[in-house]
Amino acid sequence: MAAEGENVTGEKEKSGDQLSEPGKSESYTLEALVLIKEAQQQHGLRHGDFQRYRSYCSRRIKRIRKSLHFPQGSRNRVTPKKVTPENLTDSRYIQLPLFCAERCWAYAMQLKAEANTELRKRFHMIARLKKAVHYADELGALCESPKCDARTKLECQAYNAWIHGSLRFELEDWEKAMELFTKAKTIYEKLAGAFTEEQQAVYQQRVDEIAPNLRYCAYNIGDESALQDLQKMRVAAGGDQLSSKLDDLLSQTREKQAATLSEVTWRGRTVPVKVETVRLFLLSQTDAEKELEAADTIDSKISIYETLLKQCIDAQQALRDALQEDAGFKAAIRGQPVEGKVSNQHYLYSYLTYLRLKIAIERNLLLIENLRQYLPDRQVEEGRKITKPQDLVRLYDIIIQNLGEIPNLHGVEEDPTLDEEINARVRGYKAFRLFYIARAYASAKKWTEAIALYQRTVDYAKIAVDGYKKIGSKDVQYKMEMQRLTELQGEVSGMTYSCHANSILDATPAASQPSTINTSAERKPLEDRLDEYVEDKSLLGKKPYVANFPPDFEPIPCRPLFFDLALNHVEFPSLDDKLEQAQKKAAGGGLTGFVKGWLWGGGDKK
């Protein structure tokens, strides 16, 4: 797959440049920044892999030399060849010093990352940057040729200034670095306003990358406000690639402030801070509070907490290495009881552990706040995944577990105030956890279990609120948690009534339960089933089935063809004599007639 990517890139080498046949006097255009940004994004720098990008630059240089028939000697001997304005007959010649400088720069950045653990590699990094500056100078001299157009000259001047500024930045020549970075920034800003929106974004991105370096140089020259500007840039960057660069600059800034931090006080005990990494972390924590107040989105706050959590873990590891000779710390690591008062550095380790747990809890609370926006009862934007109550339950479990570890820290086991605070917070978060467990049961239509859990939620919430009141703390966070618990009790009341009503509906007989219309054959118009409760969602739509239209035909009596008006004036003959004869004949039979009728089947035959 890598080979395919290289071939595709190789085909695109000519797409951004004006190529010409040898011998023709044409101006050449090289979109230097666009070219290298595309190469960086496609070959490793999207994920910070400088080694992969350096290897790609080597392969690309080899392909360009081969396509131009401009080799560096034969198979047996190396004969270096430099590109000069005289042999500039193709715009691809300009790419050779550009990618040579990129290769050296990528190697320097790789060594810079490795120099955190191997300090000798810093000297190698400086040497690679000087080599990149040498190739950038060759690029600048080549682009002074009249064969290159104005855009190419500006691009190469800006790139040359940026490479020189990077070298001066690493050599801590702040004034010269600031001058060079300002020159590069000015050129890129002018180029950004002269082209399309797509290319403008590339130039603006480079301007944004240069801005933190300028503010850091200003800080080292003596501008105290530059640190605040760096912090604002870090907040605005969120979780993008620029944030890691800003983190490095802020850590370098704090190294100079760390000398003033010599001790820290926690729970009434003051201990000295001797490890440099711990000092840097404590300064970062102080600055992070200001950054969190300035952050306006949840994602940016989460990014700050995650960066702070990594720094805390590094500080703990550095302090743990320094405590290898502490007998009490060794016993604590093995799980054995610590006799007597713990040492100052051991107590400092407990404080760092407390801070790590606190940061993790606050980050998880932000994650919960973010997930609550997408619960089923909220208006979720289209395409966004709906949050399940089980996801929130898992986060609350982690918070409760973190809180449970705090009272077991060495040096604070006998602090009754800390125990009361932790117990109140644990019960409060248990109330929230039970609330979302109850919602999960309610979504599964297990109404009895849900009602019982809601009631248990109210009990825990009341105990937690009483605990907060007993503590009487003026901490803003505790007041917010009390307010949330009070709101939770009101929300639980409504949820309980809802579950109770649903349980009554489910307990009704099947005959009285609302039926659901499944097929069109079973459907009846609303006028024919007014005394029945049927769940018919079509009634809420645009074409409700209320009545049959046109109505069905029904049979009705025919109207008479004429009226018999003479009937009222006709006199019928009297039938009294016939009635008397019939009565006498029926009475004359007597018992004999009865027996005769019974034996022979009755009287007269008609």
Side-chain angles (χ1 to χ4, degrees):
M1 295 298 291
E4 293 181 8
E6 291 170 14
N7 291 335
V8 173
T9 309
E11 294 175 359
K12 292 182 179 179
E13 289 175 8
K14 302 179 182 181
S15 62
D17 312 317
Q18 291 181 359
L19 304 182
S20 65
E21 296 179 1
K24 290 187 178 182
S25 58
E26 295 183 3
S27 62
Y28 303 120
T29 300
L30 178 69
E31 301 175 0
L33 187 61
V34 176
L35 190 65
I36 63 177
K37 280 296 181 181
E38 288 180 357
Q40 289 174 359
Q41 291 297 310
Q42 294 177 11
H43 298 280
L45 289 201
R46 187 188 295 271
H47 308 289
D49 191 349
F50 291 98
Q51 183 176 3
R52 179 184 167 191
Y53 179 58
R54 177 168 64 92
S55 301
Y56 164 75
C57 290
S58 299
R59 295 193 299 271
R60 181 153 186 172
I61 292 168
K62 184 177 180 181
R63 288 199 304 272
I64 294 174
R65 287 187 177 276
K66 185 175 181 180
S67 64
L68 292 173
H69 304 288
F70 192 70
Q72 291 274 52
S74 61
R75 179 178 297 179
N76 300 323
R77 179 178 296 179
V78 177
T79 307
K81 292 183 181 180
K82 292 185 179 180
V83 183
T84 60
E86 288 75 17
N87 57 10
L88 183 58
T89 57
D90 195 311
S91 65
R92 284 176 289 174
Y93 280 105
I94 311 175
Q95 295 184 22
L96 287 175
L98 175 64
F99 279 100
C100 285
E102 280 290 290
R103 177 176 60 181
C104 296
W105 171 81
Y107 196 6
M109 295 301 101
Q110 177 187 346
L111 292 169
K112 183 178 181 180
E114 296 172 355
N116 294 329
T117 55
E118 302 178 40
L119 299 180
R120 290 292 304 174
K121 289 191 175 182
R122 176 171 174 78
F123 299 101
H124 193 185
M125 177 197 70
I126 298 297
R128 287 291 92 192
L129 278 179
K130 289 181 179 180
K131 193 69 173 178
V133 166
H134 171 71
Y135 283 117
D137 289 337
E138 286 188 7
L139 177 65
L142 188 63
C143 291
E144 292 299 326
S145 170
K147 297 179 182 180
C148 298
D149 61 2
R151 176 179 181 178
T152 304
K153 293 178 181 179
L154 285 174
E155 291 248 17
C156 294
Q157 288 176 10
Y159 183 80
N160 194 0
W162 178 73
I163 286 290
H164 277 79
S166 299
L167 175 61
R168 293 300 169 185
F169 187 87
E170 296 299 335
L171 293 174
E172 298 184 359
D173 187 356
W174 308 118
E175 293 182 358
K176 187 64 176 177
M178 189 172 183
E179 179 184 348
L180 291 166
F181 280 138
T182 303
K183 178 182 177 181
K185 182 182 178 183
T186 303
I187 297 175
Y188 283 128
E189 285 177 344
K190 291 181 178 179
L191 288 171
F195 300 106
T196 61
E197 293 184 0
E198 183 178 356
Q199 293 179 337
Q200 184 179 357
V202 177
Y203 293 113
Q204 189 60 42
Q205 182 183 359
R206 176 52 65 93
V207 171
D208 295 339
E209 292 174 358
I210 295 175
N213 291 342
L214 284 172
R215 301 310 298 158
Y216 185 71
C217 292
Y219 172 77
N220 285 281
I221 292 173
D223 187 359
E224 295 295 335
S225 64
L227 179 60
Q228 298 178 359
D229 294 338
L230 285 174
Q231 292 174 350
K232 292 178 181 178
M233 291 179 187
R234 174 63 183 83
V235 172
D240 60 7
Q241 296 179 357
L242 184 61
S243 64
S244 60
K245 182 178 181 180
L246 289 166
D247 289 336
D248 294 338
L249 294 177
L250 287 171
S251 63
Q252 293 174 21
T253 306
R254 294 184 184 110
E255 286 178 1
K256 299 183 179 181
Q257 300 176 344
T260 60
L261 183 64
S262 58
E263 59 184 18
V264 65
T265 303
W266 180 51
R267 311 297 299 183
R269 180 175 175 179
T270 303
V271 294
V273 182
K274 300 178 181 179
V275 181
E276 190 72 16
T277 309
V278 179
R279 292 179 180 176
L280 293 175
F281 163 68
L282 294 175
L283 285 172
S284 300
Q285 186 203 9
T286 304
D287 295 337
E289 295 176 357
K290 300 178 182 177
E291 295 177 14
L292 289 169
E293 293 177 358
D296 54 352
T297 61
I298 294 179
D299 291 337
S300 59
K301 291 181 181 180
I302 292 174
S303 176
I304 295 171
Y305 275 123
E306 289 179 350
T307 302
L308 200 61
L309 192 60
K310 292 177 184 177
Q311 294 175 356
C312 183
I313 293 173
D314 294 339
Q316 271 192 295
Q317 184 61 43
L319 186 59
R320 184 168 182 167
D321 295 338
L323 283 170
Q324 293 299 323
E325 303 300 326
D326 192 323
F329 183 76
K330 286 183 178 180
I333 293 297
R334 299 190 191 101
Q336 300 175 357
V338 180
E339 298 180 359
K341 187 178 181 180
V342 298
S343 62
N344 288 335
Q345 296 304 302
H346 190 178
Y347 189 78
L348 180 61
Y349 185 85
S350 298
Y351 177 54
L352 291 181
T353 306
Y354 168 77
L355 291 179
R356 176 177 61 82
L357 295 172
K358 179 184 176 183
I359 294 168
I361 291 170
E362 292 175 354
R363 182 200 59 182
N364 288 336
L365 288 175
L366 280 176
L367 291 173
I368 289 171
E369 183 179 352
N370 189 30
L371 290 175
R372 286 182 62 186
Q373 300 175 4
Y374 307 106
L375 284 168
D377 58 345
R378 306 290 178 90
Q379 291 183 354
V380 182
E381 58 187 20
E382 187 176 356
R384 179 75 188 190
K385 184 180 179 182
I386 297 177
T387 302
K388 297 180 180 178
Q390 293 88 330
D391 299 334
L392 300 176
V393 171
R394 181 178 58 84
L395 288 173
Y396 277 116
D397 279 332
I398 297 173
I399 291 174
I400 293 170
Q401 182 180 358
N402 290 338
L403 286 172
E405 296 178 13
I406 294 177
N408 299 325
L409 296 176
H410 297 284
V412 294
E413 301 93 337
E414 299 179 358
D415 190 342
T417 306
L418 182 63
D419 286 339
E420 292 178 358
E421 293 177 1
I422 297 302
N423 288 333
R425 297 190 68 186
V426 166
R427 284 176 170 77
Y429 291 126
K430 281 185 177 181
F432 283 104
R433 184 187 63 175
L434 285 170
F435 174 72
Y436 288 107
I437 293 175
R439 290 194 62 169
Y441 273 103
S443 63
K445 295 186 178 182
K446 297 182 178 180
W447 312 116
T448 306
E449 293 85 347
I451 292 172
L453 289 170
Y454 281 135
Q455 186 59 46
R456 192 64 174 165
T457 300
V458 174
D459 296 340
Y460 270 114
K462 290 180 179 178
I463 295 174
V465 170
D466 293 340
Y468 283 126
K469 292 179 179 179
K470 184 178 179 181
I471 295 170
S473 176
K474 297 182 180 179
D475 194 344
V476 178
Q477 183 179 3
Y478 289 169
K479 292 181 179 179
M480 291 178 61
E481 291 180 1
M482 285 181 62
Q483 183 179 357
R484 290 173 184 170
L485 287 170
T486 305
E487 294 174 355
L488 178 66
Q489 295 180 33
E491 190 173 356
V492 165
S493 178
M495 292 288 187
T496 305
Y497 289 132
S498 177
C499 289
H500 187 63
N502 284 312
S503 65
I504 293 174
L505 289 175
D506 287 350
T508 55
S512 61
Q513 287 187 359
S515 59
T516 304
I517 298 176
N518 296 323
T519 63
S520 58
E522 298 177 358
R523 295 185 63 187
K524 295 180 180 180
L526 181 61
E527 65 175 358
D528 294 342
R529 50 183 175 84
L530 293 175
D531 55 345
E532 299 177 8
Y533 178 63
V534 179
E535 293 183 358
D536 189 359
K537 295 182 180 180
S538 65
L539 295 175
L540 304 176
K542 295 182 179 179
K543 296 181 180 179
Y545 189 27
V546 179
N548 289 320
F549 186 82
D552 297 333
F553 290 101
E554 295 182 0
I556 60 174
C558 296
R559 293 178 61 185
L561 297 178
F562 61 92
F563 296 95
D564 193 359
L565 301 178
L567 181 62
N568 297 329
H569 303 281
V570 175
E571 292 185 2
F572 293 96
S574 177
L575 300 176
D576 294 338
D577 55 345
K578 292 185 178 290
L579 289 175
E580 292 177 357
Q581 292 177 5
Q583 291 175 358
K584 288 179 180 179
K585 187 177 181 179
L591 182 60
T592 306
F594 173 76
V595 175
K596 181 181 179 181
W598 176 67
L599 293 176
W600 287 277
D604 300 337
K605 293 183 180 179
K606 294 183 181 179

